[in-house]
Amino acid sequence: MIHSRVHVSDLREHVGRTVSVCGWVNTLRLQRKMQFVIVRDGTGLVQVTHKRDDGPLEAQLESLTAESAVRITGRVVDAAQVNLGGLEIVPEAVEILNLAAAPLPIDEHTGLEQRLDWRFLDVRRRPATQLMFAVQTTLEQGMREYAYAQGATEMHTPKLMGTASESGAEVFELGYFARSAYLAQSPQFYKQMAISSGIDKVFEIGPVFRAEPSFTSRHATEFTGVDVELAWIDDVEEVMAFEEQMLAHAITQVADAHGQAIHELFGVEVTVPTTPFPRITMAEAHEILRKGGWDPQEAKEDLDPEGERNISAHIKKATGHDFVFITHYPVGIRPFYHMRSAADPGVTLSFDLLWKGLEVTTGAQREHRYDVLLKQAAEKGMSPEPMQDYFNAFRYGCPPHGGLGMGLGRVLMVLLGLDSIREATFLFRGPNRLTP
């Protein structure tokens, strides 16, 4: 008789009945008189208890190895002495679906790099990592819900480009038939083309490639970007308002669905941010930081990681807020397509969003006027010819617009208090890692 599969978390409803549980062997305790097997599925752990009787079940249980995939059919019994939910399964049939090789290549003491070599086992064996992907799903779903509610259109832009996008230095070049192609560093230009196509609000959640030889805890060579572009804006402020509302909505969804589990497995309280987020100009940030002894030579235009952490700590102390928008970045450290301030041509109408000291987003109002865009590209020493398709999008009535690019892995990192983006990615890609 075939018994339908029951998840471990639902076993309490089946006490006294015979059910099948499918999962992995978590641990084996094979004693002289009893055999105990802890079986794990995606929802929890259950103890399988068998009294030795020299029968076929005893031999099957004896042959098991850790992480073998099994289907155990048996009676669900109340067992107050058992820690795992006060239940156990008394087996009637054991099916070994896939016997795991022994010993396992990783255990609970294995370091991160080796765990990444065996990521499928690492994810399977750690409930916290399983939860992380559930959180990622809810987070993306919340962002999409907000974007859809605002009337945004979800786009899928090319990842292969005929010319290097924003700057030649950080792109991956690959053979494309008899010529070269480049992996997109950002959907930026294509988002702007969609705006010029008459699509008012555009967003995309997709892969982004950066050929940066960075070995930090927050850089990856391939990551998932959340990109938004909004047409007919009056001010970059509208882009920031969109983002803070989108994040507040998505984090609310995560708190509702997973708040308790995150607290138990990560020791982190998910707090839904209040809006609006604090805003501070780059000039103000520099002033505050230099009073505290940061950048004594006054040589830095941008914020380094230490500066980002310090300004976030300052804002947290002053306002109680974990988020802060840094606005009005100098022209010298922003791309040519960022609009410049009419009141102060030395700064751009741009922002970064910091969350607990980590930059998670860059955004700006874009320059939509063709002649101004050409002039700003020339000032950056860029030749218009390779980018003619991009410039063409602004020659025939492109509206004012602005947008943002957010790193999904960085948001997860901060949300769950992870030490590295390697932990916040299913299969990490970095300068030294192309496998598995």
Side-chain angles (χ1 to χ4, degrees):
M1 181 180 169
I2 302 288
H3 293 275
S4 59
R5 180 189 178 193
V6 172
H7 285 114
V8 167
S9 58
D10 298 330
L11 286 173
R12 174 54 63 195
E13 297 157 30
H14 297 270
V15 171
R17 290 192 223 138
T18 297
V19 301
S20 287
V21 169
C22 298
W24 290 273
V25 173
N26 195 68
T27 38
L28 293 151
R29 291 208 319 281
L30 306 172
Q31 298 174 357
R32 205 160 52 84
K33 292 190 174 174
M34 302 290 291
Q35 292 168 302
F36 299 102
V37 180
I38 309 294
V39 174
R40 181 187 73 247
D41 71 7
T43 69
L45 299 162
V46 64
Q47 180 170 295
V48 177
T49 305
H50 182 250
K51 192 171 180 193
R52 288 190 185 270
D53 57 4
D54 289 332
L57 281 183
E58 180 180 328
Q60 280 180 297
L61 292 170
E62 201 67 23
S63 72
L64 288 174
T65 53
E67 293 305 321
S68 292
V70 294
R71 180 186 284 114
I72 307 274
T73 302
R75 205 168 75 260
V76 184
V77 178
D78 256 319
Q81 76 281 5
V82 177
N83 289 334
L84 301 170
L87 292 173
E88 62 186 8
I89 293 178
V90 176
E92 295 165 13
V94 173
E95 198 180 340
I96 302 172
L97 302 171
N98 194 327
L99 191 68
L104 295 170
I106 58 171
D107 62 25
E108 54 277 15
H109 306 297
T110 305
L112 179 59
E113 282 303 312
Q114 196 181 339
R115 292 207 329 261
L116 293 183
D117 291 338
W118 297 95
R119 185 61 162 158
F120 69 93
L121 264 182
D122 180 45
V123 171
R124 187 205 298 171
R125 288 164 53 88
R126 292 194 307 140
T129 314
Q130 301 261 332
L131 173 63
M132 184 190 75
F133 294 116
V135 170
Q136 177 182 298
T137 300
T138 303
L139 188 68
E140 283 191 51
Q141 186 182 5
M143 289 177 178
R144 282 195 167 93
E145 271 173 10
Y146 180 79
Y148 293 153
Q150 300 304 305
T153 301
E154 187 167 5
M155 303 294 281
H156 301 286
T157 62
K159 303 303 161 225
L160 288 169
M161 305 179 79
T163 53
S165 49
E166 297 179 28
S167 66
E170 292 166 3
V171 291
F172 290 109
E173 185 177 354
L174 64 157
Y176 192 75
F177 303 104
R179 57 200 169 111
S180 284
Y182 305 88
L183 292 177
Q185 284 173 287
S186 153
Q188 184 59 50
F189 294 174
Y190 296 122
K191 284 190 303 181
Q192 292 184 267
M193 215 173 272
I195 293 294
S196 204
S197 304
I199 303 170
D200 270 11
K201 295 185 174 81
V202 173
F203 82 99
E204 174 168 19
I205 301 178
V208 177
F209 302 90
R210 297 275 162 91
E212 291 179 277
S214 294
F215 297 90
T216 74
S217 60
R218 61 190 193 283
H219 284 90
T221 51
E222 177 182 356
F223 61 90
T224 301
V226 179
D227 275 87
V228 175
E229 209 69 28
L230 311 172
W232 306 105
I233 64 168
D234 293 319
D235 196 314
V236 67
E237 178 58 42
E238 292 175 51
V239 182
M240 291 189 275
F242 186 101
E243 175 166 38
E244 64 196 3
Q245 294 294 338
M246 181 167 77
L247 277 169
H249 178 81
I251 293 167
T252 301
Q253 305 297 83
V254 169
D256 290 350
H258 311 290
Q260 193 182 339
I262 290 170
H263 180 66
E264 285 167 16
L265 291 179
F266 290 95
V268 171
E269 287 297 335
V270 179
T271 48
V272 176
T274 55
T275 57
F277 297 173
R279 288 138 166 74
I280 180 174
T281 66
M282 178 63 111
E284 290 167 331
H286 274 158
E287 197 179 325
I288 290 162
L289 288 170
R290 285 184 177 132
K291 275 182 189 157
W294 176 82
D295 185 29
Q297 277 81 42
E298 301 202 1
K300 292 175 180 168
E301 276 196 289
D302 209 345
L303 297 181
D304 57 8
E306 182 199 2
E308 290 175 346
R309 286 192 295 272
N310 292 353
I311 200 67
S312 284
H314 173 88
I315 294 291
K316 173 77 172 171
K317 200 170 163 189
T319 68
H321 218 292
D322 287 324
F323 285 92
V324 58
F325 283 114
I326 311 287
T327 67
H328 297 86
Y329 276 68
V331 165
I333 55 174
R334 284 311 216 211
F336 74 92
Y337 54 80
H338 281 194
M339 185 177 274
R340 298 177 186 182
S341 164
D344 180 359
V347 300
T348 54
L349 302 176
S350 66
F351 64 87
D352 274 7
L353 178 62
L354 308 183
W355 186 10
K356 293 185 181 175
L358 184 68
E359 176 212 314
V360 293
T361 303
T362 295
Q365 180 164 356
R366 319 301 182 190
E367 181 50 70
H368 62 284
R369 295 162 296 187
Y370 178 66
D371 52 337
V372 180
L373 202 56
L374 281 179
K375 184 166 145 283
Q376 290 183 182
E379 281 173 24
K380 294 262 183 190
M382 299 175 80
S383 159
E385 281 77 37
M387 298 173 61
Q388 199 51 56
D389 282 336
Y390 172 68
F391 289 119
N392 281 344
F394 303 92
R395 291 175 66 189
Y396 302 98
C398 184
H401 60 285
L404 61 98
M406 178 181 354
L408 184 68
R410 288 191 182 188
V411 172
L412 272 174
M413 252 177 91
V414 184
L415 183 61
L416 300 177
L418 302 170
D419 291 331
S420 169
I421 201 153
R422 289 163 174 76
E423 298 265 21
T425 314
F426 177 44
L427 297 171
F428 174 74
R429 291 292 177 259
N432 290 341
R433 183 171 287 279
L434 268 173
T435 57

